[in-house]
Amino acid sequence: MKQAKSVFLSTTELKALKKIGDIIIPENNPFPSFSQTACIQHIDDVLSFLCDKDLADLKALLRFNAFLPTSIVSLALRLMNSSLLSIFRLVSLGLKGLIMTLYYSNKTGIDYKGKQPYDIIDYHVHVIPKNT
Amino acid sequence: MSFYKNACFNIEINFTRYGLVIDDYDIAIVGSGTSGGCLAYYLNKAGFHCLLVEAGRSFSANTFPGNEMDYTTQLFWNGGMDVSMDGRLIFLRGKCLGGGSVINQCDLDRFDDIALLDWKEASGVTFFTNEGMIRHYEEVEKHLVIQEIPKNHWNRNARIFAEGFERLGFRWSPLARGQSDCAIEEGNDCIVCLGGCPRDSKQSVLVTFLKQAKRNGLEIWPEFETENIQNIKEGVKIAGRRNGHYIEVFARNCVLAAGALGTTHLLLKSGYGEKLPSLGERFFCHPQMMNFGVFDEKVNSHKGVLQAVKSDDIRIRKKGFKLENVFAPPISLAMLVPGFGKKHQAWMQKYTHMACIEVAIRDVGKGKLTIDRRGKLKINKVLSKEDQRRARQGQKLVREIFEAMHAKEILQSNFMFGLHLMGGCAMGIDPSSSIVDGNFKVHGCQNLFIADSSIFPSAPGINPALTIMALAHRASKAITNAGRFHTDRQ
């Protein structure tokens, strides 16, 4: 599978994001995991709107997570998700937002051949423009 | 310094070492959304030389991004991730030419006596009555196509809403929708239009007021992000960046129409907080909670008409909330479903079986907008005890509706959206507790006006878009009639 590249995130940071992504969206038939769809290849489309401060915070968080075992990251995400502390809720919301945005955009990696999220949830919509 | 004069517009453009300095507008309008687009039309029509600046890009029916991820990141401020300080509310606001009118659901309701009289009492401004507002509603409605969705075009989500209401003995009514030609019978799905309408059916300012204003020669600058405004002797200086270049614009008058968050943020960044003690106070957002009922048969809430009906019962109105049938595209729904992992995926798999009713509360808890040391906007908005009580009552009623309709499961999201962003620069006659007077002029500041939802004195509990336009029309009259402005033009 083609390696994701980003102008905003380093290889280590991308690895950490994949790890978090697979905790939030694991492989669970019929759903492919976050990393299997390679939607992370579109990460720069999502990060381009972030201000410098938020991007720096995200990078630091990902670097920290890169060196933690998956089980610890998973536990931390669950604790943060139900936390009463706003800072943890904000981190949890930010990470969930990033992962869900990439995955449920239905955009996948170039080489991905599996089921697409839109097909799994049966989301197919359209509007015919007036002049066609 | 070099200099040249644009012969068409009689604009003086100076190139300084700091960037461009552009001169000689009668009125600069900051923000091109529901208010700014409407205001620009009326002021331009009145013969003033206007400049409309907008931070976002310009899109059209042919160029709206389509994919939910793309439109969220390209058409919304901060990628749709403006979050309250406590992380419990997300605020959505448009960042594109046409602003919120491009990405809203274009529900166009007039305010009732309850809302207007509450505003009159809170502000001391006497035109907040039905009689005072009716001519403005009538005027803006002339420019809009407003339709109700006939029953034969409803999807099952709307039918569940209406039938559930009737079983419990509550009144509902059709929503007044700003749309001209959705061609639902051809199989179109209105959920697409949350990222801009590819048919130009949605009555955004792009297809109504701005379209006419452009024909009349209105000058529009998309991708101009205003960083600072200052009152100067001859008018107002508006400083910002366009494609990375610093530009200063001088106009004899400036109208802020960047929405509750945008306008308040700009004034705070520009240092107006010192002379306007209540700047940023009284921020409201109609916090919205989505509730899902899962049914055995497919509901397909995402297909066809996204919204058709609303609560229309005085008992519900008096309880301080409203209900509407609505739904969400996949990314938004994934955010609304609590948690993550396999349980989350199990809910997502029920996407086509979900009906959805939204509770929007008429919030009374006053939020506060401030900035941090770097000038970043901080949104302090928590639900007051009364707001929480209203939310619980609304969610209880939705549960009863779904139960009456035999929903198999019910999911009530703990996650809230703020889509109607209001206040922060409240209108009022007392300068110690308000920002603009009854003529939309900022207290103590010559030539500076505000005409967007930031001037709302409280939360009305009704979709605000039509009233924002009606107020923009009134503001255009007030600005035109301002004595000093006439003197300048003569």
Side-chain angles (χ1 to χ4, degrees):
Chain A
M1 192 176 286
K2 197 183 161 205
Q3 276 298 317
K5 283 182 183 164
S6 168
V7 296
F8 300 108
L9 300 183
S10 67
T11 313
T12 309
E13 290 156 359
L14 284 169
K15 233 183 201 175
L17 187 62
K18 263 193 205 174
K19 179 160 61 179
I20 294 168
D22 283 349
I23 294 167
I24 292 178
I25 303 174
E27 183 182 7
N28 177 26
N29 190 33
F31 288 95
S33 68
F34 175 80
S35 61
Q36 281 170 339
T37 66
C39 56
I40 200 168
Q41 287 178 18
H42 303 275
I43 183 69
D44 283 359
D45 295 341
V46 186
L47 296 184
S48 55
F49 72 84
L50 273 191
C51 69
D52 293 346
K53 167 75 173 57
D54 290 347
L55 183 62
D57 288 347
L58 173 69
K59 286 167 75 68
L61 181 75
L62 291 174
R63 279 199 300 275
F64 177 68
N65 273 281
F67 300 104
L68 294 176
T70 305
S71 56
I72 301 288
V73 178
S74 177
L75 181 66
L77 283 171
R78 278 173 213 289
L79 290 174
M80 283 196 295
N81 187 50
S82 53
S83 174
L84 292 175
L85 291 176
S86 11
I87 181 72
F88 289 141
R89 267 203 309 278
L90 286 166
V91 171
S92 168
L93 189 65
L95 288 174
K96 184 177 171 181
L98 196 55
I99 301 297
M100 295 300 182
T101 300
L102 283 165
Y103 187 84
Y104 286 106
S105 72
N106 207 42
K107 293 188 178 193
T108 55
I110 302 166
D111 305 328
Y112 179 71
K113 298 278 188 287
K115 280 187 180 168
Q116 293 202 290
Y118 279 8
D119 291 332
I120 296 165
I121 65 170
D122 198 11
Y123 179 77
H124 299 286
V125 291
H126 76 284
V127 167
I128 303 162
K130 241 178 214 171
N131 303 325
T132 58
Chain B
M1 187 201 315
S2 62
F3 167 86
Y4 91 97
K5 196 157 186 163
N6 182 317
C8 296
F9 292 108
N10 194 30
I11 302 168
E12 290 181 355
I13 302 178
N14 305 309
F15 296 91
T16 71
R17 66 194 170 98
Y18 303 109
L20 281 171
V21 179
I22 302 180
D23 214 341
D24 205 23
Y25 290 98
D26 291 329
I27 305 171
I29 301 161
V30 179
S32 69
T34 308
S35 163
C38 186
L39 194 67
Y41 165 74
Y42 286 113
L43 291 172
N44 186 254
K45 192 181 165 201
F48 299 117
H49 182 211
C50 299
L51 170 68
L52 178 67
V53 297
E54 162 58 47
R57 287 164 58 191
S58 173
F59 292 91
S60 66
N62 302 324
T63 61
F64 288 127
N67 183 284
E68 190 185 3
M69 179 177 95
D70 294 333
Y71 72 66
T72 308
T73 51
Q74 293 175 43
L75 268 63
F76 288 80
W77 277 93
N78 302 314
M81 288 294 276
D82 275 320
V83 188
S84 63
M85 284 165 70
D86 71 352
R88 291 193 192 277
L89 262 160
I90 281 195
F91 307 99
L92 297 175
R93 50 176 176 142
K95 186 184 183 184
C96 57
L97 191 66
S101 75
V102 169
I103 48 102
N104 70 8
Q105 299 188 32
C106 217
D107 297 325
L108 300 175
D109 297 311
R110 291 187 185 188
F111 282 8
D112 59 11
D113 280 336
I114 294 174
L116 290 171
L117 295 177
D118 181 51
W119 277 14
K120 188 178 173 186
E121 196 183 319
S123 65
V125 174
T126 53
F127 71 76
F128 286 136
T129 60
N130 255 324
E131 298 71 38
M133 289 295 293
I134 195 160
R135 70 187 174 101
H136 305 298
Y137 282 128
E138 284 174 352
E139 167 53 34
V140 294
E141 282 167 357
K142 284 181 202 162
H143 297 263
L144 301 161
V145 181
I146 301 177
Q147 299 179 340
E148 292 175 358
I149 311 294
K151 270 190 180 179
N152 61 328
H153 283 175
W154 288 6
N155 64 12
R156 184 149 185 255
N157 192 28
R159 290 179 202 283
I160 288 169
F161 182 102
E163 208 179 314
F165 258 63
E166 285 164 9
R167 284 189 189 180
L168 295 183
F170 286 101
R171 270 190 55 169
W172 58 270
S173 68
L175 280 160
R177 311 264 310 155
Q179 58 181 51
S180 62
D181 179 20
C182 295
I184 294 301
E185 64 283 2
E186 289 176 22
N188 289 327
D189 304 309
C190 295
I191 202 165
V192 172
C193 307
L194 294 174
C197 177
R199 291 181 63 80
D200 276 346
S201 171
K202 188 196 284 187
Q203 298 291 283
S204 75
V205 294
L206 288 185
V207 300
T208 53
F209 294 99
L210 274 185
K211 192 176 176 182
Q212 295 172 57
K214 266 198 242 178
R215 280 194 201 129
N216 296 341
L218 173 71
E219 195 173 338
I220 302 174
W221 291 1
E223 298 180 69
F224 178 90
E225 191 156 344
T226 308
E227 294 175 348
N228 189 283
I229 53 162
Q230 291 301 325
N231 277 83
I232 52 172
K233 200 180 170 188
E234 301 299 322
V236 180
K237 181 178 85 175
I238 299 116
R241 280 178 198 280
R242 195 175 190 199
N243 301 324
H245 300 291
Y246 179 79
I247 300 175
E248 287 182 356
V249 177
F250 292 91
R252 277 185 285 284
N253 293 270
C254 175
V255 192
L256 300 182
L261 298 187
T263 291
T264 311
H265 189 196
L266 182 55
L267 286 172
L268 286 166
K269 278 194 297 186
S270 305
Y272 283 81
E274 285 176 23
K275 51 184 166 189
L276 300 167
S278 63
L279 181 61
E281 290 181 1
R282 283 200 264 171
F283 169 69
F284 304 94
C285 67
H286 289 163
Q288 292 171 40
M289 284 139 279
M290 305 278 265
N291 305 274
F292 303 94
V294 180
F295 290 82
D296 282 329
E297 312 81 38
K298 280 194 172 183
V299 180
N300 282 331
S301 301
H302 62 297
K303 300 295 287 178
V305 175
L306 183 64
Q307 278 202 294
V309 282
K310 63 176 179 182
S311 57
D312 187 13
D313 193 295
I314 191 66
R315 290 168 290 175
I316 294 176
R317 177 81 173 120
K318 282 186 174 169
K319 282 181 177 170
F321 61 88
K322 69 178 173 84
L323 306 182
E324 284 175 11
N325 87 296
V326 71
F327 202 58
I331 294 171
S332 307
L333 192 96
M335 292 304 290
L336 289 163
V337 172
F340 52 83
K342 291 186 175 176
K343 270 189 186 170
H344 187 279
Q345 288 166 315
W347 278 108
M348 291 303 289
Q349 230 182 327
K350 296 168 191 162
Y351 187 83
T352 53
H353 290 257
M354 289 178 175
C356 177
I357 298 176
E358 158 205 290
V359 177
I361 60 169
R362 186 180 182 208
D363 47 332
V364 290
K366 295 167 184 166
K368 186 164 183 172
L369 306 174
T370 53
I371 50 172
D372 65 14
R373 279 180 304 171
R374 285 183 299 271
K376 194 177 171 192
L377 184 67
K378 289 165 71 181
I379 309 169
N380 186 358
K381 175 70 184 170
V382 291
L383 261 58
S384 68
K385 279 191 176 162
E386 174 59 19
D387 295 335
Q388 289 173 27
R389 195 180 65 82
R390 292 176 181 200
R392 278 196 304 273
Q393 284 189 322
Q395 291 197 298
K396 183 171 169 278
L397 178 56
V398 174
R399 180 170 281 278
E400 287 167 7
I401 292 169
F402 282 143
E403 282 169 356
M405 294 303 294
H406 308 298
K408 208 169 65 176
E409 292 173 274
I410 296 170
L411 173 68
Q412 300 197 289
S413 177
N414 54 4
F415 192 73
M416 291 180 290
F417 279 105
L419 302 177
H420 302 156
L421 311 180
M422 305 164 288
C425 302
M427 178 176 271
I429 53 174
D430 179 3
S432 68
S433 62
S434 62
I435 304 301
V436 292
D437 63 21
N439 287 318
F440 301 83
K441 192 174 79 60
V442 175
H443 291 301
C445 297
Q446 287 300 322
N447 313 333
L448 184 59
F449 301 83
I450 305 176
D452 56 27
S453 61
S454 69
I455 66 171
F456 282 20
S458 66
I462 298 173
N463 293 314
L466 188 69
T467 303
I468 295 171
M469 289 187 244
L471 287 173
H473 176 251
R474 187 174 180 100
S476 73
K477 297 290 169 201
I479 294 163
T480 305
N481 293 336
R484 176 183 156 72
F485 196 60
H486 272 302
T487 309
D488 278 352
R489 290 203 46 89
Q490 282 155 13

